[in-house]
Amino acid sequence: MQKSLSNALFFILLVALFFAAVLVNNLLFKGVNLDLTENRVYSLSAGTESILTDLEEPINLYFFFSDSSSKGMTSLRNYAEQVETILRKYEARAQGKINLEVIDPEPFSEAEDRASTFGLTGVSAGAANDAIYFGLAGTNALDDTKVIGFFDPSKESFLEYDISKLIYQLSNPAPVKVSVVTALPLEGGQNPLTGQPEPANVAYTQLTQLFDVQLVDVSADKLPEETQVLILWHPQGLGQDLLYAVDQYLMAGGKALAFVDPHYESDQMAMLGGAGANASSLPLLSSYGIQVNLDKVVLDAQLGLEIRGQQGNVIRHLGYLGLGEAQINDKDITTADLDSINGASFADITVDKQSGLRMVPLLSSSVNTATIDSEEYALQRDPQSLSNNIEIQEQKHTLAARVVGSVKSHFAQDEEVQGADFKESTDSLNLAVFADADILSDRFWVQQSNFFGQMVFNPFANNGDLLTNLVENYGGSEGLIGIRSRGTFARPFIKVQELSVIAEEKFREQEQLLQQRLQETEAQLAQLQSQQTESLTLTPEQQATINNFVEQRVEIRKALRDVQFQLDKDIDSLGNILAIINIVVAPVSLVLLLFVIARLSRRKARLG
């Protein structure tokens, strides 16, 4: 009796200790947590921590989620819970600089009006077809507003980047300062062949609408002050002073995009042919260890675009490439949502193995490629000859890439040009290299049309989006660029998925038979009703048959709903059983096992 009482008392003390530990954790360690998920989906990256540390003014975040209208939407609600958890982590890490408010915009409420005022997207869903809001709005001390219209679960891996970007934009509301180094007439001019005026480059025009852009001629001797993003657009003939300024800008941690080309075909004079390759020139790249082979053009038999030949026939041009989703990096934030990129006469990009550089490809070719001398390519007048005179090799080429890492200055050995504040090297090169400049030309991604006397531009590829994304990304802080893609939160029960297939097979056959009966009944009913329309009157027997078919249709539909309900019920029950096993049975079993071990240890100690 005393032994049983002792065991019961020990078990009660164990349970009391468990609840006491939970209480102490909730009171004293509420803000302390440990992320043990495989992909660390509940932790913030170092880049985000840096952005939050640099906050100077308070930021208000308003998280809108239609909790009351989303009953039954399990996956969406789970994702909303994850988003709220991450947002609360932002609030805790910001140490009072972020104020988070969670709002349920119920239908016809002031909260719903508030969500609409912020410009959030309401998606019609649910049993009552109510608008489901699932977005974030943020404001700063200057009343600037930034929003994430809707948290798309398919973009879960970029959740942290999107939130951190919103916070960074609110903490740094000034437009990004972009300097474009080029000799091209991006602002428009006179066509040298026709003498007619040419409109401004569309990609450049988009930049000027979004950022603070300044053109820099290749004859300049320095870059504009406070340049945040530098674009080298088909660089040719850069003077020594400007080359030195670009080098030192990069050595100081500046971010840049370089669009270099073995043959820039969009130059009006170059399109005439006979003048040889119109190649870019940027000697900094090779001295850094970035090899862009401007002597060769990549031809791709799989990705070649179809163009109209001189005879009016359609020809596949192996030098004009149409890159699809398979060739665009879907893991990088700047290219993840892009569907197609067009360009011409790409080169291949590599980095020296002995250098301290790391290359992250953004655009790639297929494996069905060949290379041709750029001079020979420039002199080709018939695209068909490219297909006839090359040997396809199974080799994939990198056409555009981010390049990061440690490099030495191009002028490290040239003491004569080194200024007083000369920086010999950097450990944080931030450079995106594109082995094509035609990619930014209008004809490869946008179509012009005249709409009541006004020129309208309709994009048919994502070239302009790519440029904007990169400038926006590089215009952020160092932390924003370095934010990793998060893992996915969903960790499904694999066994449930397997059992779901079995359950579906069990009920699907019955469902199909009912569907077939329903179709046959409705066909016979439609035939009888058409007879009623033709003859205006029916015999009592015919009317009884119609009534019988109507009743059969109602019964079949009810049975069909029951089958579908039973299917969902069985699958849910399987999931619930496994969830109970994982959440309740396993921990309780562990506690009991520890209890038994403790009792055995005490017993052994008494016997010893």
Side-chain angles (χ1 to χ4, degrees), residues 342-368:
N342 297 332
S345 57
F346 286 88
D348 175 63
I349 305 173
T350 58
V351 294
D352 294 341
K353 294 182 179 180
Q354 65 273 18
S355 69
L357 295 174
R358 181 171 62 90
M359 184 174 71
V360 180
L362 297 176
L363 304 176
S364 305
S365 70
S366 75
V367 295
N368 302 309

Side-chain angles (χ1 to χ4, degrees), residues 62-73:
Y62 306 97
F63 175 48
F64 291 86
F65 177 65
S66 301
D67 184 69
S68 57
S69 301
S70 61
K71 303 297 184 183
M73 301 179 182

